[in-house]
Amino acid sequence: MSQPERMSPVELRSTLSLASIYGLRMLGMFLILPIFAIYAETLPSGDDHFYIGLALGAYGLTQALFQLPFGMASDRFGRKTMIYIGLLIFAIGSFVAGMADDIHTIIIGRAIQGAGAVSAAVTALVADLTREEHRTKAMAMIGGSIGITFALSLILGPTLNQWIGVPGIFVLTGVLALLAMLDIKYLVPNPQVSRFHSDTQAAPAKLGPVLQDTQLLRLNFGIFALHASHMAMFVVVPFALKQTSGLNENDHWMIYLPIMVISLTFMVPAIIIGEKKAKLKQVFIISVAVMLLAELAFGLMIDSFWGIMVALTIFFIAFNVLEAIMPSTISKQAPADAKGTAIGVFNTAQSLGIFVGGVCGGWLSSQHGYAAVFAFCGALMLLWLVSVWTMRAPAAVRSRMYPLPEGQTHDAAQLSRQLAALPGVKESVVLPEEGVVILKVDMQADWDDSAALQLIRG
């Protein structure tokens, strides 16, 4: 007997609504990237690129500080309560930045925005509202919303700037955050049962083992380096594009649109090769090497419009591939009962990368010029390439989750051993306190749920 393949209407509506909330968080970060540096330079003290970088990166610092605490607090005070609080904080930060007339106030607003770190609480609520067999699908939908938001932001940012300016964009994201609270209230149902989920939430007791795992540390450094270089780049590239292309920043969408189309076209076959052909390590190595090539191209051709176009295209081909495969890779590498903790640390490393990239990019640009920014990014990519080269190839597995029947008692250790003995099972974890079984199954195996379900149902 196979598990049902379709999500229920309630699961689908809940997942799509919560994915939009997650996307909104990313929108607040990404939408201003193509045009903020140029706008900020017109403000008092904005001619110092250090403050521009700090304004871009401040969001990441407070998000890193509050992300895990928000998720843990949602266990005690309720998912929706913490999401309401986070969205309200995010909206306040957006309005502060929107009404600012100097760069220092924008920095404060951006820091407040990041403090409304609802992402962990949102994923916990998704877990409460979806059955175990659809959890992976729901999380993939949230991941897709992030990618779509990022691609649209590079195109929408310059267009919106022409209509409402950067202050208007900040105010718009604040208004959207308030509307999102209505989304949570009226479209997302209250969970019948709210409990801790190892696959989506961080557990303090598991932080030690996760932080000591060298394979996970490689991935954490990678996402840190990827987003540090990404944020540092946007301190410099908007100025360079305006100087070399002669285009007003409002028209920069015409530059980013074809680049995003090309990069997304390359992303699909790379994911297929990595996931379906079990060649994730090879795709990793090539993508990081391409990122290093992009940083070298930026450093050498930053004074040439077509040079920047080539470097941006190379950069975003690698960036989009890595953004797509890294969450999947950490799921494969993390212990099944500590996946949520591993993802929490991974997301925190990403936020810290945003902060460090903005600050270092701004300082290097102000003190040593554009080339120093790309030298910094290139050094990060070189370190990452060495790290990826020596990492263990991710196992070709997919996760399967099953509910434990209510009221039925199991010897967890014995059931885990029985499930682990099934053909194709690489890892088996039984969590009676969560009422769930998690298996990692060989992607190449012809997997049938029936044998596992028979054991689980006794």
Side-chain angles (χ1 to χ4, degrees), residues 218-228 322-323 326-327 345-351 353-354 384:
R218 284 172 166 83
L219 292 169
N220 294 334
F221 174 75
I223 198 68
F224 170 89
L226 183 67
H227 281 268
L322 290 164
E323 276 282 282
M326 289 187 77
V345 173
F346 178 82
N347 290 337
T348 299
Q350 173 180 319
S351 297
I354 291 168
W384 190 12

Side-chain angles (χ1 to χ4, degrees), residues 251-274:
D251 296 322
H252 284 186
W253 67 269
M254 292 188 288
I255 295 171
Y256 291 114
L257 178 58
I259 288 173
M260 294 310 297
V261 170
I262 293 170
S263 63
L264 292 173
T265 301
F266 275 88
M267 181 182 75
V268 175
I271 293 173
I272 292 173
I273 292 170

